[in-house]
Amino acid sequence: MAIFTVEYTYTDDDQGRDKHRDEHRAYLGRQDSVLLSGPYLDFPAGALIIVRGEDEDAVTAMMDADPFQREGLIAERRIREYNPVLGSQAGGFPGE
């Protein structure tokens, strides 16, 4: 399986994100393929999610079901294949 980064840029709807945050985190937490996830702490508001997937289409399908996506809270989403070559996960994430 390949590793992908998913980069979110959020809309300005802070209240919508607050309302759906628990559901969003629960959804991502149930996905065995999510390796890391967390928000950026600067502007513009967004997040980085690192996932394992068969291909970009599979990752896209999984991310389409994210409650933040469903509720229109994602202004922009970018999915890219990623190759970690240095650092503690360079040899692969657990389960690979």
Side-chain angles (χ1 to χ4, degrees):
M1 282 213 205
I3 303 295
F4 293 84
T5 61
V6 180
E7 189 169 6
Y8 281 173
T9 301
Y10 296 137
T11 66
D12 293 335
D13 187 356
D14 296 340
Q15 290 180 339
R17 283 195 312 280
D18 289 345
K19 179 179 178 181
H20 296 285
R21 182 172 287 111
D22 289 345
E23 185 183 6
H24 157 75
R25 288 182 176 174
Y27 173 77
L28 292 179
R30 288 190 304 271
Q31 307 309 308
D32 291 337
S33 57
V34 173
L35 303 172
L36 292 169
S37 177
Y40 290 122
L41 300 178
D42 59 358
F43 184 81
L48 176 66
I49 307 163
I50 300 177
V51 302
R52 177 182 359 204
E54 288 295 326
D55 55 32
E56 187 173 338
D57 290 339
V59 173
T60 298
M62 180 184 68
M63 300 314 293
D64 282 348
D66 181 345
F68 274 10
Q69 182 71 34
R70 181 194 69 221
E71 297 298 326
L73 300 169
I74 308 299
E76 183 178 345
R77 180 178 72 187
R78 185 174 184 186
I79 298 172
R80 300 174 70 186
E81 193 167 357
Y82 176 63
N83 181 26
V85 296
L86 294 173
S88 65
Q89 301 302 320
F93 285 89
E96 286 189 29

